[in-house]
Amino acid sequence: MIKMSNGSKEGQVLRAWLDITRGKEPYTKKALRSFEEGLENGNDIFALLGKAQCLEMRQNYLGALETVNQIIVNFPSFLPAFVQKMKLQLALQDWDQTIEIAQRLMLQDKQNVEALRMLALYYLCREGDIEKATATLENLANALDAMEPQNAQLFYKITRAFSRTCGRNQLILQKTQTLLERAFSLTPQQSEYATELGYQMLLQEKVKEAKKWYKIALNLEETNITALIGFIQCQLIEGQLQDAGHQLEFLSEVQQSFGKYAELTYLHAVLAMKKNKQQEEIINLLNDVLDIHFSQLQDLPVGIEYFEKLNPDFLLEIIIEYLNFCPMQPASPGKPLSPFLRRCTSVLETIVRTVPGLLQALFLIAKVKYLSGDIEAAYNILQHCLEHNSSYADAYLLMAQVYLSQEKFQLCSQSLELCLSYNFKVREDPVYHLIKAQSQKKMGETAEAIKTLHMAMSLPGMRKTGTSSKSKFKNTEVDASHRLSIFLELVEVHRLNGEQHEAAKVLQDAIHEFSGTSEELRVTIANADLVLAQGDTEQALNMLRNVTSEQPYFIEAKEKMADIYLNHRKEKMLYITCYREIAERMPSTRSFLLLGDAYMNIQEPEEAIVAYEQALNQNPKDGTLASKVGKALVKTHNYSKAVIYYEAALKSGQNYLCYDLAELLLKMKYYDKAEKVLQHALAHEPVSELSALIEDGRTQVLLAKVYTKMERPGDAVTSLQQARELQARVLKRVQMEQPDAVPAQKQLAAEICAEMAKHSVAQRDYEKAIKFYREALVHCETDNKIILELARLYLARDDLDACLRHCALLLQTDQDNEAATMMVADIMFRKQEYEQAVFHLQQLLERKPDNYMTLSRLIDFLRRCGKLEDVPRFFLLAEKHNFRAKLEPGYQYCKGLYLWYTGEPNDALRHFNKARKDSEWGQNALYNMIEICLNPDNETVGGEVFENLNGDLGNSTEKQESVQLAVRTAEKLLKELKPQTVEGHVQLRILENYCLMATKQKSNVEQALNTFTEIATSEKDHIPALLGMATAYMILKQTPRARNQLKRIAKMNWNPIDAEDFERSWLLLADIYIQSAKYDMAEELLKRCLHHNRSCCKAYEYMGYVMEKEQAYTDAALNYEMAWIHGSQANPAVGYKLAFNYLKAKRYVDAIDVCHQVLQAHPDYPKIRKDILDKACAAVRP
């Protein structure tokens, strides 16, 4: 037909499809060319489908997907294209897209076999939802009956993936068994169908039925190796070791003819365990099993066939056998992991990554994490398991061990009770009693613990070393380890109960019971512990010295000796000698690692580096070791050598060290180099592996930090956006594939959002910042730092209610949170609820009287409440709390603030000067000192109302010299200011120009005016700059211009940051209105001042002046009296006015008292004696 087609497009496409069926790369390449040629003149559906098939075979899944999308666009009703797309999305490990397409297929064809198959697989493998998976399998069986009732091969193929991924769930296995029996009934001559039935019977633990089916399969095809392997497995389960051994020998001899089978090697390992062969032999066989098994998965895309060949059920059996050789107790911190645990972790992570819905795999990974010492990870995974299956007894038992390690004994006890309620047979497990006794011991219930352990001792087989076990192929050595743990625990509780004789007796029983076994040395170590508890370190050491390197537990014995030398004898040299001996006698990676860790423990990093390098020479590809060397070099502060080491390691292909190197370069401020290293780490093809996505995410976060340091905020934000996208993908998958990593990954996601929020704040995009902080709280809803930042942001945006809500959240979990309490006080302050604000700060100070930041705020708040007289009490509290308080810069600063507010500027200057050199308080102290120098008497700069009241004094040479000296002092202090922020630099410019204005020289004032105008133009509504402009205009006698600027300020909303400048601007505008006799307008502004600051002497003084002008002398006297009280009776001008108004109001005695007070402080004060005192005295004389 192809020849007859004379090279037509159809013939070319058909030839290409024939080439594909050959399955070899050259033919696939040729076929791809043919398909592309066939597509030159238009979209041919079969050519496009062929092209997609070729690209898939060459593992170019994205290219294949693009081609399939072309088919769907051009031929939207062609369902095979959707099926192909669904499979390609699965190959790309994008389950969401896979399921979306499956559901689209179902909308068009409710009995689509491939879509139903994919949905059932998703519910089973991804979601772990047995109910939905069973229902979908039922629908799949119905669809097969309707669409393919005679397709035995399809019935058979569909069952394989489900039976191997269902975790031996009986409901699923019953469904697959029905389908298989249907396949066998259609073609009873098919040996492979009978073999599969035998395998599935084994999964259901129906050994006799399995054996029957394997016999049927062998009768149909004598050379069916899989059936023969299954039959031998049945023999091993039934204990027919001799027959099984002969069969295995025969298969080993003929193995070359049929290749390697992982299942066959596994049976050799099982037989070796049954015959109590050496551990090394069994482990080597198990290692071979995994190597052969995983070699079959190379280059195989994730799909139906991958699930079949991965066979998680088979892998879990191997893991269970590995765990029999792992230590029974969690690894202590710093102790290297058992190589068996590493292997288990690697295999289990592969399973969980592909079949995250398989709870047994999650449980085993939790167990491995627990034994590895990662208790938190084990806890997180077990929580996940129990959320999915609340009656998982084994998970409760392991959770009890986790709680025990976390010292949560009550929860441990509860977990044991739950375990017992779901599986009553657990009482026959010695481990259950061991955990219970350990929990009771920790809770101080030693008598109960002894009873529990005696119950464990009375269990069948506890006194015999060769106990059989319920597990199919469990090793007796593990049982010995458990039994010994119970003996040793009983020794310990007897000792704690003061029953030394009983303890010694049980220990003797243990010595007798385990003499000559591999556990004998554990008894010796326990004996040494008992002697050590009695204070005899020498005898304990003598017991341990006899242990030779040929014996098991040699390393543990040496570690115990090292511990005695370091912690009991404080002999560092003998401590390190123990580890040197381990390294000399058993020169392995682990030994050198232990030696390195020991050197680090006694702060000798140089020696540790040598040991780590020896370990690295033995295992050059171990990233943990390479990282340890780098970190040890960093600890010696040998940064340059550390960089050289990392760079050399990277050149040798150890790319996992990129992050460590970049982190070090960042620390050394080599930002360009750090950027290059991180860019190199990220320069790879798109990845789908979860671990690679996690690594890329944290690399992007570090890159963002580098860009921030390089002052490249745009690039930093781009890196953070990429990190956020990666983290979104990670969080979508980590819940299923790596539950133990969920908290850490959520924390990283929150950190990324928080960093993005900080950048948004820097750009003044507060809406976006709030959005990012909220997103961060979705990931970590109890992160107090993020809640605090969000509250601060709401406060900055004047959203006081939202800020209060977040502060309340913080204070629920942390009642003493200083920042939140300060913020609540701030909000009360903004709402002008000054008493409430003061109450919150007082609470803080009563808990911590030397919190000077709080005290400084309290002084300000009390001033605004008009209660400065309450401040001294808090100084006394601070002095009582800390006898050195008066030497603290914070104390001096607060004292200066109080004295300044109470009208004692000279004393205030002295105290501020004592805080001036402090890193925390110095800058604020300098700002205040400059302000005092420029305006010591707190006058209204530029105001004219009171300017000439003291005409003679104001223009005296002495006064002018004093002003000039103060300005020079202010200029010197300005040079000491070192602002760190943009706002700080602006504030510095404002003060510099106030210094210029203080000289009252026209050129200086005009220069200052230009600067203020420039700032006000670039910074919208900048209150200090606008006030500066108005003040300059007033000095230049340009009152209308000054008034215009002050009116602008008067229309603005008050805020606490600019509170002082608002007050000064209102006072200056009131001064202008008073000059113009607009008393009502002036009064409104003065009341505003007093509303925000009830201690504002100047506002009271102006009010008194207005009342005086209106001849309301009694009211004037009241206001002057308030000005006099809040100014600590220090300003003679105010005293004069008060006495004058008392005189006018006929309060002669009060007038006399005030005159005496003024004259006592200022004997030469003009006019007061003649104008007021003499007249008042005359008025009171009869």
Side-chain angles (χ1 to χ4, degrees):
M1 279 178 70
I2 293 168
K3 284 178 183 177
M4 286 166 66
S5 68
N6 290 326
S8 70
K9 186 173 79 170
E10 289 80 4
Q12 204 173 359
V13 169
L14 183 56
R15 183 188 292 278
W17 272 103
L18 288 170
D19 285 335
I20 285 179
T21 59
R22 302 192 186 192
K24 292 180 181 174
E25 173 58 21
Y27 289 105
T28 309
K29 202 172 181 182
K30 182 184 168 188
L32 184 58
R33 276 200 308 272
S34 300
F35 286 131
E36 283 173 344
E37 285 168 15
L39 289 166
E40 284 174 3
N41 301 319
N43 286 324
D44 181 291
I45 191 166
F46 296 109
L48 283 168
L49 207 54
K51 182 184 175 182
Q53 186 70 31
C54 286
L55 291 168
E56 185 184 349
M57 287 170 77
R58 301 183 77 187
Q59 296 186 349
N60 182 357
Y61 304 118
L62 286 169
L65 189 61
E66 200 177 309
T67 309
V68 169
N69 282 336
Q70 242 179 300
I71 302 172
I72 290 168
V73 169
N74 291 293
F75 309 97
S77 59
F78 186 62
L79 294 188
F82 286 95
V83 171
Q84 191 64 20
K85 183 176 180 179
M86 179 175 70
K87 290 177 178 177
L88 286 167
Q89 291 289 11
L90 183 57
L92 289 165
Q93 297 180 44
D94 190 338
W95 271 105
D96 292 342
Q97 286 295 316
T98 305
I99 294 313
E100 190 184 318
I101 297 159
Q103 285 165 344
R104 277 178 70 186
L105 274 166
M106 289 297 294
L107 288 172
Q108 294 182 62
D109 177 8
K110 286 188 177 178
Q111 291 192 317
N112 189 294
V113 171
E114 290 300 331
L116 283 164
R117 187 183 193 183
M118 196 62 77
L119 283 167
L121 202 63
Y122 171 76
Y123 292 133
L124 181 64
C125 300
R126 198 80 191 160
E127 297 285 313
D129 191 330
I130 298 296
E131 200 176 318
K132 279 188 180 178
T134 308
T136 313
L137 262 178
E138 183 72 42
N139 294 339
L140 177 57
N142 294 335
L144 283 168
D145 277 339
M147 309 300 290
E148 299 278 354
Q150 300 302 312
N151 193 338
Q153 184 72 7
L154 187 56
F155 278 90
Y156 159 72
K157 278 195 168 181
I158 279 173
T159 64
R160 287 172 60 83
F162 293 107
S163 61
R164 285 152 178 77
T165 55
C166 70
R168 304 196 177 190
N169 182 274
Q170 294 302 305
L171 286 172
I172 301 289
L173 288 173
Q174 281 164 21
K175 297 286 177 197
T176 56
Q177 185 185 330
T178 305
L179 290 172
L180 261 178
E181 285 169 349
R182 177 76 179 276
F184 190 73
S185 68
L186 287 168
T187 50
Q189 69 280 9
Q190 275 288 358
S191 174
E192 63 179 342
Y193 300 171
T195 305
E196 185 62 23
L197 270 164
Y199 178 69
Q200 294 202 17
M201 291 299 168
L202 264 185
L203 293 179
Q204 294 177 63
E205 296 183 4
K206 297 174 180 176
V207 182
K208 285 182 180 174
E209 294 237 3
K211 209 170 179 183
K212 181 192 88 175
W213 279 109
Y214 283 132
K215 278 181 182 174
I216 292 169
L218 287 166
N219 289 334
L220 289 168
E221 186 187 346
E222 287 181 4
T223 56
N224 186 334
I225 301 299
T226 309
L228 186 53
I229 289 170
F231 187 77
I232 297 167
Q233 189 169 355
C234 293
Q235 288 179 320
L236 284 169
I237 292 168
E238 289 178 338
Q240 298 168 17
L241 303 188
Q242 197 170 354
D243 293 343
H246 292 319
Q247 297 271 25
L248 285 171
E249 277 176 36
F250 166 70
L251 280 178
S252 297
E253 285 169 16
V254 297
Q255 192 171 11
Q256 284 184 337
S257 61
F258 56 79
K260 290 185 177 179
Y261 275 68
E263 291 82 0
L264 180 58
T265 312
Y266 172 65
L267 293 186
H268 278 289
V270 170
L271 185 63
M273 281 184 267
K274 290 274 187 182
K275 290 184 172 180
N276 294 324
K277 293 285 178 74
Q278 287 294 313
Q279 177 179 316
E280 193 177 346
E281 182 186 334
I282 298 164
I283 291 298
N284 288 337
L285 284 166
L286 289 173
N287 288 341
D288 289 344
V289 174
L290 289 178
D291 292 341
I292 297 164
H293 187 77
F294 280 107
S295 67
Q296 298 169 357
L297 295 169
Q298 282 179 355
D299 301 327
L300 195 63
V302 176
I304 304 293
E305 189 186 352
Y306 183 86
F307 285 105
E308 285 176 25
K309 289 195 172 175
L310 179 68
N311 196 349
D313 189 273
F314 176 60
L315 288 173
L316 293 181
E317 282 197 70
I318 299 162
I319 294 302
I320 289 165
E321 303 309 342
Y322 263 117
L323 287 173
N324 290 335
F325 300 103
C326 292
M328 288 292 104
Q329 294 303 315
S332 51
K335 189 175 178 180
L337 275 189
S338 153
F340 309 140
L341 286 175
R342 284 175 190 269
R343 195 78 200 252
C344 289
T345 304
S346 167
V347 174
L348 287 166
E349 281 176 353
T350 304
I351 298 170
V352 171
R353 195 161 50 244
T354 316
V355 193
L358 187 54
L359 281 189
Q360 195 188 357
L362 284 169
F363 167 74
L364 287 173
I365 208 167
K367 190 169 187 176
V368 168
K369 292 285 182 187
Y370 168 73
L371 294 174
S372 305
D374 192 347
I375 307 298
E376 193 60 38
Y379 171 79
N380 290 326
I381 299 169
L382 287 170
Q383 282 283 73
H384 180 79
C385 287
L386 291 169
E387 279 167 18
H388 280 71
N389 182 1
S390 59
S391 58
Y392 199 159
D394 287 349
Y396 283 115
L397 188 62
L398 183 56
M399 187 63 102
Q401 290 174 278
V402 165
Y403 283 136
L404 190 63
S405 298
Q406 293 176 330
E407 299 188 351
K408 296 175 180 175
F409 309 120
Q410 204 60 47
L411 289 170
C412 171
S413 183
Q414 285 172 19
S415 280
L416 288 171
E417 283 171 20
L418 284 165
C419 175
L420 186 62
S421 68
Y422 288 116
N423 181 8
F424 213 57
K425 286 185 178 177
V426 79
R427 290 188 309 170
E428 297 165 20
D429 185 353
V431 176
Y432 167 80
H433 295 284
L434 178 61
I435 299 164
K436 189 176 178 181
Q438 286 171 331
S439 174
Q440 288 168 332
K441 177 185 79 175
K442 292 288 185 180
M443 289 193 286
E445 299 169 5
T446 45
E448 291 300 314
I450 291 168
K451 280 182 193 173
T452 304
L453 288 166
H454 278 300
M455 279 177 70
M457 294 287 276
S458 66
L459 290 172
M462 267 302 294
R463 295 277 177 177
K464 305 287 180 186
T465 51
T467 38
S468 60
S469 145
K470 285 182 288 179
S471 172
K472 265 190 289 182
F473 309 126
K474 202 166 184 183
N475 191 293
T476 53
E477 194 174 334
V478 178
D479 286 337
S481 173
H482 273 142
R483 288 187 309 106
L484 178 56
S485 295
I486 289 166
F487 272 95
L488 299 182
E489 196 63 37
L490 190 54
V491 170
E492 174 71 2
V493 289
H494 275 310
R495 187 183 67 75
L496 288 173
N497 210 32
E499 299 166 357
Q500 302 296 336
H501 176 70
E502 285 297 319
K505 190 178 166 189
V506 175
L507 193 60
Q508 283 304 314
D509 285 350
I511 292 168
H512 172 72
E513 187 81 18
F514 295 95
S515 177
T517 70
S518 59
E519 298 296 314
E520 185 177 9
L521 264 181
R522 272 183 71 198
V523 183
T524 305
I525 295 167
N527 203 356
D529 270 332
L530 191 63
V531 171
L532 193 62
Q534 293 163 359
D536 194 342
T537 53
E538 192 53 47
Q539 192 184 340
L541 287 167
N542 284 335
M543 287 178 179
L544 296 166
R545 282 187 187 117
N546 298 325
V547 180
T548 63
S549 57
E550 291 77 30
Q551 293 174 282
Y553 297 105
F554 166 72
I555 291 176
E556 285 77 1
K558 285 292 169 192
E559 282 185 295
K560 175 57 71 179
M561 285 179 73
D563 178 66
I564 295 169
Y565 283 130
L566 185 67
N567 296 316
H568 293 269
R569 291 198 170 186
K570 313 296 179 192
E571 294 177 7
K572 286 186 181 180
M573 289 311 296
L574 289 172
Y575 164 77
I576 212 69
T577 303
C578 292
Y579 287 101
R580 280 199 197 125
E581 195 178 336
I582 293 171
E584 284 165 14
R585 299 278 180 86
M586 300 174 74
S588 64
T589 303
R590 182 191 173 191
S591 303
F592 288 120
L593 187 57
L594 284 171
L595 180 59
D597 288 347
Y599 275 123
M600 289 297 279
N601 202 21
I602 58 169
Q603 307 299 314
E604 289 190 23
E606 292 89 352
E607 294 292 336
I609 290 163
V610 176
Y612 288 144
E613 284 177 340
Q614 283 176 298
L616 198 57
N617 290 339
Q618 295 206 348
N619 193 358
K621 291 184 179 178
D622 191 326
T624 312
L625 289 173
S627 187
K628 273 182 180 280
V629 177
K631 282 171 184 169
L633 284 165
V634 169
K635 195 155 189 176
T636 62
H637 301 288
N638 198 342
Y639 299 130
S640 303
K641 192 174 176 185
V643 169
I644 293 164
Y645 165 76
Y646 278 131
E647 285 173 346
L650 285 176
K651 281 176 188 171
S652 67
Q654 297 177 41
N655 288 333
Y656 41 77
L657 292 176
C658 281
Y659 189 90
D660 286 359
L661 173 58
E663 213 170 25
L664 177 58
L665 290 167
L666 178 62
K667 194 175 186 179
M668 294 169 72
K669 299 183 180 178
Y670 292 162
Y671 305 131
D672 291 333
K673 283 186 176 180
E675 182 194 3
K676 280 179 188 170
V677 170
L678 292 168
Q679 292 283 20
H680 168 72
L682 292 164
H684 54 68
E685 291 297 312
V687 291
S688 58
E689 283 285 315
L690 182 61
S691 56
L693 289 173
I694 290 170
E695 191 60 33
D696 278 2
R698 75 184 195 123
T699 304
Q700 288 284 11
V701 172
L702 188 59
L703 185 58
K705 285 180 187 172
V706 172
Y707 283 139
T708 303
K709 291 288 184 185
M710 293 169 87
E711 295 182 4
R712 287 163 59 183
D715 290 331
V717 168
T718 303
S719 280
L720 286 168
Q721 281 168 344
Q722 289 173 351
R724 182 166 162 252
E725 286 165 17
L726 283 165
Q727 209 59 19
R729 289 172 66 191
V730 166
L731 289 175
K732 202 181 274 186
R733 289 173 56 185
V734 76
Q735 194 84 38
M736 303 296 290
E737 295 178 32
Q738 214 175 315
D740 59 302
V742 170
Q745 292 312 310
K746 280 190 172 181
Q747 186 64 48
L748 181 60
E751 282 170 24
I752 292 166
C753 293
E755 280 303 311
M756 292 187 82
K758 283 175 192 172
H759 281 284
S760 298
V761 169
Q763 292 160 9
R764 295 175 183 260
D765 190 343
Y766 300 122
E767 281 298 324
K768 199 180 268 188
I770 286 171
K771 186 191 101 177
F772 284 131
Y773 276 133
R774 279 181 178 163
E775 190 180 321
L777 283 178
V778 169
H779 300 306
C780 270
E781 56 190 36
T782 55
D783 192 315
N784 283 357
K785 283 183 185 175
I786 292 168
I787 297 172
L788 187 63
E789 289 304 323
L790 192 53
R792 280 180 179 144
L793 201 52
Y794 280 126
L795 187 64
R797 290 188 72 236
D798 224 24
D799 189 344
L800 304 186
D801 292 336
C803 179
L804 262 179
R805 275 200 310 276
H806 285 81
C807 288
L809 266 177
L810 266 173
L811 293 168
Q812 273 175 16
T813 54
D814 181 8
Q815 287 183 341
D816 298 335
N817 192 297
E818 186 181 318
T821 309
M822 292 277 277
M823 236 180 295
V824 172
D826 249 343
I827 292 165
M828 298 300 126
F829 174 52
R830 284 174 187 234
K831 289 181 170 183
Q832 286 98 50
E833 294 175 17
Y834 298 121
E835 283 80 5
Q836 276 294 312
V838 166
F839 168 75
H840 286 290
L841 293 182
Q842 281 177 337
Q843 276 192 319
L844 262 184
L845 277 174
E846 276 158 15
R847 284 198 293 266
K848 196 180 176 189
D850 59 351
N851 184 338
Y852 300 118
M853 188 61 73
T854 304
L855 181 55
S856 67
R857 297 300 301 277
L858 180 64
I859 292 167
D860 185 38
F861 287 6
L862 285 169
R863 168 192 170 216
R864 293 185 182 281
C865 290
K867 292 182 179 178
L868 278 168
E869 66 274 10
D870 292 350
V871 172
R873 176 170 82 86
F874 293 101
F875 286 122
L876 289 172
L877 265 178
E879 288 164 25
K880 200 179 285 184
H881 178 75
N882 178 4
F883 69 94
R884 293 177 57 83
K886 288 185 179 180
L887 303 173
E888 297 279 350
Y891 178 92
Q892 294 295 340
Y893 176 87
C894 292
K895 195 82 171 173
L897 204 60
Y898 169 67
L899 291 166
W900 185 22
Y901 289 158
T902 51
E904 297 179 45
N906 292 329
D907 286 342
L909 269 176
R910 276 197 296 277
H911 285 282
F912 282 138
N913 193 47
K914 288 175 183 175
R916 177 176 138 215
K917 299 291 184 186
D918 184 66
S919 59
E920 186 181 355
W921 297 97
Q923 294 293 294
N924 285 338
L926 281 167
Y927 282 122
N928 293 344
M929 288 173 78
I930 293 163
E931 290 205 20
I932 291 172
C933 288
L934 295 177
N935 187 9
D937 297 324
N938 203 18
E939 300 292 342
T940 306
V941 181
E944 297 177 351
V945 171
F946 302 127
E947 195 177 36
N948 299 315
L949 193 68
N950 305 322
D952 299 335
L953 273 175
N955 297 321
S956 68
T957 311
E958 187 185 335
K959 175 83 173 175
Q960 286 175 351
E961 283 177 4
S962 170
V963 169
Q964 286 172 7
L965 177 65
V967 171
R968 284 199 296 274
T969 306
E971 285 169 349
K972 281 181 188 172
L973 291 170
L974 276 168
K975 290 174 184 171
E976 292 182 30
L977 281 173
K978 299 283 185 287
Q980 302 296 313
T981 61
V982 176
E983 293 83 358
H985 284 286
V986 173
Q987 192 179 359
L988 177 57
R989 285 180 72 195
I990 297 277
L991 284 174
E992 284 169 348
N993 288 282
Y994 265 104
C995 275
L996 287 173
M997 286 199 300
T999 63
K1000 301 286 171 76
Q1001 293 172 14
K1002 189 180 178 185
S1003 60
N1004 285 348
V1005 176
E1006 284 173 347
Q1007 186 185 332
L1009 178 60
N1010 290 335
T1011 307
F1012 289 136
T1013 307
E1014 187 187 317
I1015 294 169
T1017 307
S1018 62
E1019 302 267 343
K1020 190 188 174 190
D1021 294 341
H1022 195 278
I1023 311 291
L1026 293 171
L1027 175 60
M1029 286 171 71
T1031 308
Y1033 283 132
M1034 288 300 290
I1035 294 168
L1036 295 169
K1037 305 297 179 188
Q1038 298 177 24
T1039 305
R1041 288 186 173 181
R1043 186 171 58 240
N1044 290 340
Q1045 298 304 328
L1046 293 168
K1047 278 182 176 178
R1048 271 181 72 186
I1049 297 171
K1051 287 174 186 172
M1052 293 178 196
N1053 290 328
W1054 179 88
N1055 69 71
I1057 295 165
D1058 297 313
E1060 299 296 329
D1061 291 305
F1062 270 112
E1063 189 176 296
R1064 287 171 192 153
S1065 66
W1066 294 335
L1067 288 171
L1068 186 52
L1069 185 56
D1071 187 290
I1072 293 169
Y1073 285 144
I1074 291 166
Q1075 283 288 90
S1076 312
K1078 294 176 181 175
Y1079 299 134
D1080 290 345
M1081 294 170 83
E1083 269 189 69
E1084 191 270 320
L1085 285 164
L1086 296 169
K1087 282 176 183 173
R1088 206 188 291 183
C1089 282
L1090 291 170
H1091 177 68
H1092 289 287
N1093 180 6
R1094 292 177 207 161
S1095 298
C1096 184
C1097 302
K1098 217 68 196 167
Y1100 286 121
E1101 194 177 345
Y1102 276 119
M1103 279 291 238
Y1105 183 84
V1106 169
M1107 300 300 171
E1108 192 180 336
K1109 284 289 179 186
E1110 292 173 343
Q1111 298 186 353
Y1113 298 117
T1114 305
D1115 291 339
L1118 282 172
N1119 281 293
Y1120 281 131
E1121 189 179 327
M1122 293 302 285
W1124 181 240
I1125 291 165
H1126 288 298
S1128 298
Q1129 305 173 352
N1131 189 336
V1134 174
Y1136 178 92
K1137 292 169 206 166
L1138 175 60
F1140 178 77
N1141 279 278
Y1142 277 151
L1143 183 70
K1144 288 285 185 181
K1146 299 184 179 175
R1147 290 172 62 181
Y1148 305 122
V1149 175
D1150 291 333
I1152 292 165
D1153 286 345
V1154 172
C1155 288
H1156 284 307
Q1157 285 171 0
V1158 172
L1159 289 167
Q1160 190 178 351
H1162 305 274
D1164 302 323
Y1165 194 78
K1167 297 183 182 179
I1168 195 166
R1169 188 181 296 276
K1170 183 182 173 185
D1171 291 357
I1172 303 168
L1173 183 60
D1174 293 347
K1175 288 178 183 177
C1177 287
V1180 291
R1181 286 193 191 107

